[in-house]
Amino acid sequence: MGNLATPKSVQKLQMALHAKAKTEPGYRFYALYDKIFREDILAHAYAQCRSNKGVPGVDGQDFADVEAYGLGRWLGELALALKEETYRPDPIRRVYIPKANGNLRPLGISTLRDRTCMTAAMLVLDPIFEADLPPEQYAYRADRNAQQAVIDVEETLFLDHPEVVDADLADYLERASHYPRSVGCASKRSGRAAGSLILKPFLRPQLMCTA
């Protein structure tokens, strides 16, 4: 998610959430939704999306359009929609990218508005679920990469653990791209699902618009 420095206020919130989740594995986080539309959270979420560049979604709006409109104004309107629970996700623009084997992989492109909201939710939820992840998990985690995983495997092999299992889910992204069911993801948070940590505006199925 880019290399932008996280603002101190956002770091403070993330550290508090992580510490609570780490020290109390069974703790239930009820009041998180209001953190997502905090000014500093949304501003940093937009900056992260901006650093990743990317193309417009179904509304055709790009970063230049947002900044011409006025970033503060745009973020303020988004925060108000989230606060009043009138925010609704836009349909996802679907494009197809070629794979090495000649097949096509569907790719869903959200609008900048939705990307900013999803990143804001990630900034709040990530430190909680990070506390539950095992140390040997490297994928999709901050400050971890495939090279570190390879080093870990080499060290394990050196310690006389010669069996290696390589597993993958065939075409998982193609099947999951329509609507990732984060609502049903299991968690150690006393049986709470990932989707139950935030409110309903984020839990609606998103329609596809094929490009």
Side-chain angles (χ1 to χ4, degrees), residues 28-206:
R28 296 185 179 187
F29 291 84
Y30 289 104
L32 292 179
Y33 184 68
D34 63 315
K35 311 296 188 297
I36 292 173
F37 54 79
R38 270 179 31 170
E39 181 180 354
D40 54 347
I41 294 287
L42 281 178
H44 186 53
Y46 176 84
Q48 289 279 23
C49 294
R50 184 76 169 85
S51 71
N52 292 331
K53 301 179 181 179
V55 297
V58 294
D59 61 356
Q61 186 179 61
D62 59 19
F63 295 104
D65 295 329
V66 171
E67 285 151 26
Y69 181 76
L71 178 57
R73 178 183 173 191
W74 187 85
L75 288 174
E77 291 174 356
L78 178 56
L80 183 62
L82 289 168
K83 183 177 181 180
E84 295 182 346
E85 298 185 30
T86 59
Y87 165 82
R88 294 295 180 267
D90 294 309
I92 294 177
R93 177 185 168 206
R94 168 163 282 187
V95 298
Y96 290 87
I97 56 176
K99 298 171 65 173
N101 61 6
N103 294 331
L104 295 176
R105 169 171 289 170
L107 178 67
I109 302 176
S110 301
T111 60
L112 301 188
R113 185 169 172 265
D114 289 345
R115 274 184 268 175
T116 298
C117 288
M118 288 186 284
T119 304
M122 185 209 69
L123 290 172
V124 175
L125 295 175
D126 185 70
I128 297 172
F129 288 98
E130 175 69 24
D132 291 339
L133 297 178
E136 62 271 14
Q137 182 172 335
Y138 288 89
Y140 308 107
R141 297 179 71 180
D143 303 319
R144 287 176 176 246
N145 54 47
Q147 289 74 23
Q148 292 172 326
V150 170
I151 292 172
D152 194 0
V153 170
E154 288 179 343
E155 291 176 349
T156 305
L157 290 171
F158 182 76
L159 294 174
D160 198 26
H161 296 278
E163 296 183 2
V164 178
V165 177
D166 184 13
D168 194 7
L169 297 175
D171 297 329
Y172 173 77
L173 292 178
E174 283 83 344
R175 291 181 172 85
S177 63
H178 178 70
Y179 180 46
R181 292 185 60 84
S182 62
V183 182
C185 292
S187 168
K188 293 180 182 177
R189 303 286 123 208
S190 296
R192 303 290 286 178
S196 67
L197 297 176
I198 49 182
L199 289 184
K200 57 189 176 183
F202 289 96
L203 303 182
R204 294 176 178 269
Q206 298 180 345

